[in-house]
Amino acid sequence: MTKVIIVGAGIGGLTAAIGLRRAGLEVKLYEQRTDPRMIESGGGMVLQPNAMRGFQQLGVADQVAAAGSVLERFEWCTPKGNRLAGWPVGEVARKVGAPMVGIRRMKLQGALTGAIEDGALELGAEVTGFSEDAGGVTVQLAGGAEERGDLLIGADGINSTVRSLSLGPWTEPRYAGYALWFGITEVDGSAADPTFRELDGPGARFISFPVGGREVYWSAIANAAEGTIAEGGGAEIEGDKEMLLRRHAGWAPPTESLLEATDPSVIYRREIADRDPIKKWGAGRVTLLGDAAHAMTINLGQGACQAIEDGVVLTNCLAAEDDPIAALRSYEVKRIARTAPVVRRSRMIGEMGQWTNPLACRVRNQIQRVVFPTVAFREFKQTMAYEFPPAPEPVSPRVSRPASG
Ligand SMILES: Cc1cc2nc3c(=O)[nH]c(=O)nc-3n(C[C@H](O)[C@H](O)[C@H](O)COP(=O)(O)OP(=O)(O)OC[C@H]3O[C@@H](n4cnc5c(N)ncnc54)[C@H](O)[C@@H]3O)c2cc1C
């Protein structure tokens, strides 16, 4: 039986682990954090139908959808609330057979972690190195332990150790020129409006959508010089709420009411970065997955969705090929072609979002009015209808060997 070692229990690593175990492979998943739910604590995200279709193949879509809110509409407006464009995403979702879901990141991580029951996941385990030989790959852990497997998957995020060890040291990620403040609050009523709403102003944007029941996630994006917006949040950062209320004063509902209602101790912030697409993700028994392979900006809401697709495609390729190394190369060919344009498109949209010149912003509004309902909507529908390679028959999970050393 092929044994796969995965580094990183983010959304990508967890998805791959669930898929591979379901396909009957042995999996060992190492995560340096002691609680993977704490990644991006407090944040929310959108899981688009392409990702939810992947989760359907892995049998976890229902749990995930139940933990969030099903979204029906996307809407782009000016800061005053004049509508620029809208998409009936609920209709698209029904056509492709999977919902668009807004969800708390912690709940998603919890649902995925819960689907890996029997010791495959080892927490507080930092992978520091690996070596490969004709018979397999040996992974080194901080503290001196080692683990042997047949394949190694680096799902260890934008600053991937596996990537730097296998493809050569990386340079720092490319700072996108803007930062994001985010929080979650409850709204009145029985359930939040199932709309993803984005207000686009000069060099600043405000996004909101429900993430389960009456909870609404919001994010405020603005141009910022690199290194001026330290990552973090909560009690350490004072004054962010007042600054956001000043920046978005007079913006259309629900901007100010969401900011007002948010406890300042759950406002977080983060600078946005990506990497140029690369043409090689691995060699021999090693490959990459998720942000480690294709870190992208936030603008298409596809970073995690593509990581989920990666996990499903990797599973399907390994199940289809007798030679696991050939399966990794076949996975890479499929996924490099899929993800590189998404990275580029996401970057381009972010660059337009940074425009501050009033004339340029009027041109951008016009582009949104014309391009979003036509070309962009067509592209969106194509992205949602991504065709996965054929899925393997599920096999009952096997218990992993305990980590050696
Ligand atoms: C503000 C924000 C909003 C976003 N919104 C969306 C959205 O709405 N929709 C969407 O699809 N995407 C969104 N994204 C992108 C998405 O969050 C990422 O693309 C996704 O989380 C990447 O998952 P990953 O598993 O590849 O990497 P990560 O989530 O970075 O996970 C990597 C894991 O590896 C672990 N690790 C790292 N090094 C080691 C090591 N040496 N040993 C062991 N473990 C290690 C880390 O601790 C971490 O747990 C957003 C991103 C941001 C920043």
Side-chain angles (χ1 to χ4, degrees):
M1 189 192 356
T2 304
K3 176 174 173 183
V4 183
I5 298 175
I6 302 174
V7 185
I11 296 163
L14 287 167
T15 304
I18 295 167
L20 295 173
R21 289 181 57 68
R22 199 175 150 85
L25 281 76
E26 188 177 348
V27 173
K28 191 76 207 183
L29 174 56
Y30 289 111
E31 167 56 49
Q32 64 188 6
R33 298 184 196 231
T34 48
D35 183 350
R37 290 171 311 163
M38 294 317 289
I39 294 167
E40 295 286 339
S41 46
M45 63 192 310
V46 176
L47 290 173
Q48 304 194 40
N50 59 317
M52 292 301 291
R53 286 174 53 242
F55 279 158
Q56 284 173 343
Q57 283 203 10
L58 307 189
V60 291
D62 291 346
Q63 298 93 294
V64 169
S69 290
V70 172
L71 304 182
E72 286 295 328
R73 285 174 296 279
F74 271 28
E75 224 172 61
W76 291 268
C77 301
T78 65
K80 291 204 179 323
N82 296 323
R83 195 165 182 276
L84 296 166
W87 289 348
V89 294
E91 271 173 36
V92 178
R94 283 183 280 281
K95 270 197 190 122
V96 300
M100 172 81 77
V101 176
I103 189 167
R104 255 185 191 268
R105 195 175 282 260
M106 263 165 68
K107 285 198 178 161
L108 172 60
Q109 289 276 148
L112 298 180
T113 309
I116 302 176
E117 333 69 7
D118 61 6
L121 170 60
E122 194 167 319
L123 298 172
E126 184 196 355
V127 169
T128 53
F130 74 86
S131 58
E132 187 182 343
D133 54 52
V137 58
T138 304
V139 158
Q140 286 99 36
L141 293 146
E146 289 192 339
E147 181 81 4
R148 183 111 174 123
D150 299 297
L151 302 175
L152 172 63
I153 314 298
D156 46 349
I158 189 167
N159 291 322
S160 167
T161 299
V162 175
R163 174 167 167 162
S164 68
L165 292 172
S166 61
L167 301 181
W170 35 255
T171 51
E172 286 301 308
R174 185 200 69 105
Y175 175 52
Y178 44 92
L180 175 138
W181 288 252
F182 60 91
I184 292 180
T185 188
E186 282 203 355
V187 293
D188 295 334
S190 56
D193 172 14
T195 303
F196 172 105
R197 186 168 284 109
E198 177 171 328
L199 307 181
D200 294 331
R205 292 177 268 168
F206 192 88
I207 292 168
S208 58
F209 55 87
V211 288
R214 295 193 294 124
E215 286 190 326
V216 174
Y217 166 83
W218 58 261
S219 59
I221 303 165
N223 294 346
E226 183 166 11
T228 56
I229 310 296
E231 190 167 318
E236 300 145 35
I237 297 177
E238 286 175 12
D240 272 6
K241 180 167 168 172
E242 291 70 25
M243 180 279 294
L244 291 168
L245 278 164
R246 271 196 310 279
R247 188 203 292 157
H248 296 285
W251 283 42
T255 311
E256 288 174 288
S257 63
L258 289 177
L259 290 173
E260 288 283 8
T262 305
D263 176 350
S265 71
V266 293
I267 295 179
Y268 292 83
R269 61 194 196 179
R270 146 155 211 182
E271 291 186 340
I272 301 303
D274 68 1
R275 287 188 183 280
D276 289 332
I278 44 173
K279 294 198 174 92
K280 185 176 175 189
W281 286 9
R285 297 173 180 275
V286 183
T287 194
L288 302 175
L289 182 149
D291 276 10
H294 49 69
M296 62 185 76
T297 58
I298 50 173
N299 302 289
L300 288 171
Q302 275 289 333
C305 295
Q306 291 302 314
I308 293 162
E309 283 188 3
D310 289 345
V312 176
V313 174
L314 179 68
T315 297
N316 298 2
C317 287
L318 279 166
E321 291 256 10
D322 289 335
D323 174 358
I325 296 177
L328 295 192
R329 301 294 87 78
S330 148
Y331 152 79
E332 289 164 358
V333 167
K334 290 179 176 55
R335 297 307 300 161
I336 290 169
R338 167 72 165 168
T339 54
V342 185
V343 174
R344 292 196 196 94
R345 233 173 31 243
S346 184
R347 185 181 288 185
M348 187 191 74
I349 292 172
E351 283 165 0
M352 283 174 69
Q354 287 184 273
W355 293 356
T356 51
N357 177 296
L359 183 63
C361 290
R362 280 209 294 278
V363 170
R364 185 182 64 203
N365 289 353
Q366 204 46 33
I367 293 173
Q368 282 175 297
R369 283 194 183 95
V370 175
V371 175
F372 276 34
T374 53
V375 179
F377 190 43
R378 207 162 42 240
E379 264 178 7
F380 166 76
K381 286 189 280 189
Q382 279 163 5
T383 304
M384 295 308 109
Y386 177 67
E387 227 168 273
F388 289 96
E393 283 300 313
V395 174
S396 43
R398 293 167 209 240
V399 178
S400 298
R401 287 194 292 263
S404 58

